[in-house]
Amino acid sequence: MSGGSFVLIKARIATMAAPAGYGLVEDGAVAVADGRIQFAGRRGDLPHAFARWPQIDLEGRLVTPALIDCHTHLVYGGSRAREFEQRLEGATYAEIAAAGGGILSTVRATRAASAERLTAEALPRLDALLAEGAGTVEIKSGYGLDLDGELKMLRVARDLARHRRVRIRTTFLGAHALPPEFAGRADDYIDFLCREVLPAAHAEGLVDAVDAFCEGIAFSIAQTRRMFEAAKALGLPVKIHAEQLSNLGGAALAARFEALSADHVEYLDEAGVAAMAAAGTVATLLPGAFYALRETQMPPVERLRGAGVPIALSTDCNPGTSPVTSLLLMLNMGCTLFRLTPSEALAGITINAARALGLAEETGSIEAGKAADLAVFDVEDPAELAYRIGFNPLHSRYLEGTPA
């Protein structure tokens, strides 16, 4: 996958390697060889050993790490546009789910779809993310909710990297909703996931992390704990959908398992923030879902910031509650809705998103030794990426040193 040796010159580099801010380097250079960054800094400090390599003049353009979407449900069947209308007519997310809509309607469509159809429908969504500079995308299962369906989703997600130049991370989310065949038997379903489905997916090499939806309309703290114990027994890191609609203490539970991230967290309390800070768990904020559901409970950004909890942003691309395929839009929403600064928002889709996937040593910032995953934008000020709406200034994208 890696390309040859070259140097990007006359660049403004948002390294995202600084403890705070962009880590902006004026008149910068990035030397790349064998897919890795060899040097990133001022052009005047470029080591002589790199000076004779082929040079690409960026004419003052901004270079950032390739963007990272760290929470998506990109692979699914069907559409839930009618539910959008129902919510506008006054129905709540919980009411739609109780009537057989919501996640279960997507489960029916996903189970019925072939792997080929799921791939064909997922690729345009993936292309939209890549067109804005994404280099890494996480994709969850959770619309199969049986052995065959979950494996099918994970295989499709992995296979997308064969069709496009992108790094894919797959997350097992069997504990997303209770399937109809297990109605009234949630504990039995968790047993089924832990004993049969997760081990089969792991044995096939399809799982990078394990997630669970810990919420009143989904799974309890006790059920989520069992899911996490099964994950840890297989040596897999965990993540959680938590505190989206209420505060069950899911984020604090996840932190006890040293979770990579706790996602949504609108109802996160002080104890949850403290637990996440102590564990190094990332808070992944999902403004697309907040917007689509017309929520009013803000995530506790000030508390997270004060406690030093890393904050990531993601599209939460899914058919029901966040039909979003734009990380640049998430920058704007993160700032406008959640009052992040533009530099915090950009960190949220680069270095902190990498942390949320356990990839911070590989990608997410522009530093020597890391993969040369880069996005080049036709802007001068990094804040412009968050400021503008409906405008894509991407000039070029590199994945492991190769134009993508």
Side-chain angles (χ1 to χ4, degrees), residues 28-50:
V30 182
V32 175
D34 299 322
R36 317 299 293 188
I37 297 169
Q38 307 299 315
F39 169 86
R42 292 180 59 253
R43 184 160 57 114
D45 297 330
L46 182 69
H48 181 72
F50 308 138

Side-chain angles (χ1 to χ4, degrees), residues 218-296:
F219 297 97
S220 70
I221 286 285
Q223 291 158 352
T224 301
R225 181 184 296 110
R226 288 166 55 204
M227 200 74 244
F228 287 174
E229 288 169 348
K232 288 298 185 179
L234 295 171
L236 295 168
V238 302
K239 304 166 70 69
I240 193 169
H241 287 59
E243 276 71 85
Q244 179 185 9
L245 306 172
S246 62
N247 179 24
L248 297 186
L253 170 70
R256 290 198 289 274
F257 283 83
E258 299 180 318
L260 293 172
S261 71
D263 302 12
H264 288 290
V265 299
E266 282 91 336
Y267 286 82
L268 184 67
D269 60 14
E270 289 188 29
V273 172
M276 290 175 64
T281 298
V282 174
T284 300
L285 307 186
L286 305 172
F290 181 91
Y291 170 82
L293 292 173
R294 295 189 293 174
E295 294 289 350
T296 57

Side-chain angles (χ1 to χ4, degrees), residues 46-130:
L46 182 69
H48 181 72
F50 308 138
R52 296 183 181 179
W53 290 4
Q55 297 186 345
I56 301 171
D57 187 345
L58 294 185
E59 301 176 330
R61 293 183 175 92
L62 177 71
V63 181
T64 75
L67 309 185
I68 298 172
D69 202 347
C70 63
H71 178 133
T72 87
H73 306 256
L74 196 78
V75 173
Y76 60 83
S79 169
R80 280 156 62 186
R82 174 56 189 145
E83 290 181 18
F84 173 68
E85 290 186 298
Q86 289 176 311
R87 288 198 302 273
L88 293 175
E89 292 163 359
T92 68
Y93 179 63
E95 288 168 346
I96 291 170
I103 292 169
L104 291 183
S105 67
T106 300
V107 170
R108 291 189 293 271
T110 303
R111 286 179 174 182
S114 67
E116 292 76 17
R117 182 175 181 84
L118 290 176
T119 299
E121 293 181 352
L123 282 171
R125 296 189 278 267
L126 178 60
D127 286 341
L129 294 171
L130 302 186

